Amino acid sequence: MVHQRLFAARWLLAVLLAAGAGASSARAGGGPENVFLVVNSASWASLAVANHFIYLRHIPPVNVFYIDWTAGVDSIDGDTLREKILIPTLDTIDRRGLLGQIDYVVYSSDFPTAINLAKDFPTAKFSDQARPACSLNSATYLWNLVLSKLPIVMDFHINHYVRGFGPTTISAARQTDEPTHGFHSWYGWGNRGELIESGGQPYMLSTVLAVTSGRGNSVREAIGYLERSAAADGAHPKGTVYFARTDDVRSKARVDGFMPAIEELKKLGVSAEEISSPMPNNRGDVAGAMTGVANYSWASTRSTILPGAICENFTSFGGQMAEGSGQTPFTEFLRYGAAGSSGTIEEPYAMAEKFPWPEIQVHYARGCSLAEAYYQTVFAPAQLLIVGDPLCRPWANIPKVQVAGVKANDKVSGTLALKPEAQAPGGGSIDHYELFVDGRRQAAAQPGQSLDWNSTAESDGFHELRVVAFEAGPIETQGHVMIPVVVDNQGRSAELTTRPAKTVRWDEALTVHAKASGARQIYVLCNSRVLGVIAGESGELSVNPRLLGLGPVSLQAVAVAGASARDRVVPPPVSLVVEAPKPLGPLKEPPKKLAPGLLLKLPDGKVSPVQETLDPAWLALAGIGPNQPFVGQAFFDVSVTDVYQFQVWHYGELKLSIDGVLLYSSEQGGFTQKFVPTALAAGVHRLSISGRSGTDVKLRILFGGPGALSLNGKTFRHQAR
């Protein structure tokens, strides 16, 4: 592995060189072409959330990266983050030729949410308010500092991208009125917030799409708020942003910023008001919320969150996703449809620098994306876990783009001169246009100029053209049009089909057929991940739908006859929807007398009810010794027909069944995380576990949907005797 500081310096130099090559045209981020999505291929939930985000946001296949992550979803140390997640992600961006265009690194679910950096700074001394810990997204935002192991990552004013309103700012060093500004990863920012296009501190926008473990949401909930967020773009919601002023210290920490933000929102035509209750009650128009309270129930407020809303609560443990954490987690806002929310992964000690300042709602209302709005208002983002749709932009003035010179599904050859035009619905002019081919930026042009594309440099077959228009002004809002074409310079063609053709259940067989005359090999892919290779000019490949994940997916193929691009041909992609299998029906006659806990049978034949399994040594605590057999059984109820999940870590042998159907079986576990989804109909079901303990008597089983928590007497019951 390259030394981490050397990698950080080399990668930053490469980004600057790549951006400098087109500095006159490269502008702020904010579109799908600027997003690099990282997915946990070991997790069904991560795949499902990613599939829907890719579909909703039109993320190019080349912008998706899969990591097989089984090392837990709570906390890891800095070295593990760098070696297993951050450096592989940045290196893949480089290798795929995406430097200079990626402004967001976004994580799907089931990655660690907290990063312990204590080992990075063995001699540094930190105050209790600056304990060395980062959220996953903020460790990515501060990537070069984390890679270089610089303790300044915990500085309370490390984020120079923050834009302030003069006297309302919470930093004494920043007393100027700084306009809302769009973002680019190769921008540098000076200590006083000045934009420096070469030099200064660089950042990388980052959020997590969903948390589906611990105290998180269900996959269905995550998909729901992502769908609402995508539909909210440019909708200019007719609602009210609420700021809760109470005597709670959590509210007081940000109260000085309420009225300036409200006044500015009203200038923008957005309704905003202070309320004296901890939460907006009986309000059907919540377009945003800034609150401060330890515990709350959104359902009890009888209020409605509008699509696209950022809802924020200032409290200590709202971002701690691990089981057993206190206070209401921010996932409560997401459950009821917010586009994004956040919370700290470490005790923040009521320091306002660690949370979004109320100006977040102003930057958002001016047209910024959710991620841009967040990072323009948090001086010390290290400990802030931000979850939601980073691209959501309800108040954006999104250009509508048209292109002359080519139409969808045209067969093209030679050099194309594309002539773009665009209008912004809210008025304003277009700064410039950019052309992306198969997700990679190829050309730029000023209004009135053409975007020229030499198709002879590409392989024959399917290609996707994207023309992106950038609104003039500091936010530089993007709008794009996607144009599929078929290149025919050499008379090559290929075909890709599947059986079934449109939908497949994850418990069904999926067969992929491909053919291309003259091909030596045909690679079958899903979002740049190779699923398999067909030898020769034609053939079939069996693909397990579970590898694809639930939801809409696109399969691609590349037929290779030689070493150059001209010796390849790409067939049109195939779109599929992967569905869950038929749910297991509930027990027809569940036991009538049930007592709390899992019933565990010991080697001596005795049975013992177990109420808590949070400690992985719970088997040993119950009386199971090394290499001894065990059997456990319990009943549980689910209220909604849906896909639920078990997460399993174990040594030794383990079998897990629901209603007599075997879901998981392994003769020897290495105590790595296994994700086990199961579709269940509403009603009572029976869990059965059995096996033989290992030399190290540890077993961890979580169940959830939403989230995933350890087996316990509140959820699981046994038949009373």
Side-chain angles (χ1 to χ4, degrees), residues 32-52:
E33 301 81 19
N34 309 114
V35 170
F36 196 73
L37 176 62
V38 185
V39 187
N40 182 0
S41 56
S43 161
W44 74 278
S46 190
L47 289 166
V49 170
N51 287 343
H52 285 83

Side-chain angles (χ1 to χ4, degrees), residues 234-503:
H236 296 268
K238 302 301 181 184
T240 302
V241 180
Y242 294 97
F243 298 83
R245 178 192 285 264
T246 70
D247 291 334
D248 194 313
V249 66
R250 301 168 183 85
S251 172
K252 291 179 178 180
R254 297 189 288 192
V255 73
D256 289 346
F258 286 177
M259 287 312 300
I262 290 172
E263 291 171 3
E264 195 63 30
L265 286 168
K266 289 181 177 179
K267 291 178 184 178
L268 297 169
V270 177
S271 176
E273 66 177 82
E274 277 192 359
I275 56 175
S276 58
S277 57
M279 289 282 158
N281 293 311
N282 299 306
R283 307 296 180 103
D285 65 343
V286 180
M290 304 290 288
T291 66
V293 63
N295 294 289
Y296 66 95
S297 165
W298 185 260
S300 68
T301 69
R302 298 185 179 181
S303 293
T304 300
I305 297 174
L306 299 183
I310 293 176
C311 295
E312 273 291 324
N313 185 45
F314 189 117
T315 194
S316 295
F317 308 120
Q320 294 187 12
M321 294 290 99
E323 179 178 2
S325 301
Q327 303 181 345
T328 304
F330 63 77
T331 47
E332 178 80 354
F333 282 133
L334 297 172
R335 177 164 295 118
Y336 290 92
S341 191
S342 67
T344 49
I345 52 91
E346 185 70 44
E347 167 62 69
Y349 289 94
M351 297 194 67
E353 291 93 338
K354 297 183 179 183
F355 290 84
W357 198 240
E359 296 161 6
I360 185 175
Q361 303 290 352
V362 177
H363 296 307
Y364 205 36
R366 286 176 175 170
C368 284
S369 70
L370 183 144
E372 289 173 331
Y374 257 105
Y375 285 107
Q376 286 180 92
T377 57
V378 187
F379 279 100
Q383 296 174 348
L384 191 69
L385 178 64
I386 305 172
V387 177
D389 183 348
L391 294 180
C392 188
R393 44 185 183 160
W395 283 278
N397 187 26
I398 304 172
K400 306 296 183 183
V401 187
Q402 295 180 324
V403 178
V406 67
K407 297 189 297 295
N409 302 313
D410 273 358
K411 184 175 287 189
V412 301
S413 61
T415 298
L416 275 67
L418 309 180
K419 299 178 181 179
E421 291 185 357
Q423 293 80 37
S429 59
I430 301 302
D431 181 85
H432 75 287
Y433 299 92
E434 293 182 2
L435 171 66
F436 291 77
V437 180
D438 300 329
R440 296 181 176 90
R441 188 167 57 202
Q442 297 288 331
Q446 299 299 310
Q449 298 178 340
S450 64
L451 290 163
D452 296 331
W453 176 48
N454 179 11
S455 73
T456 64
E458 306 285 350
S459 61
D460 273 7
F462 177 88
H463 293 278
E464 182 192 70
L465 309 182
R466 299 188 184 207
V467 176
V468 182
F470 291 77
E471 180 193 24
I475 297 176
E476 298 166 305
T477 300
Q478 298 183 25
H480 76 260
V481 63
M482 300 163 55
I483 309 169
V485 298
V486 176
V487 171
D488 185 11
N489 286 305
Q490 302 175 81
R492 298 178 182 271
S493 64
E495 182 179 304
L496 179 68
T497 58
T498 65
R499 190 173 63 249
K502 295 182 179 179
T503 62

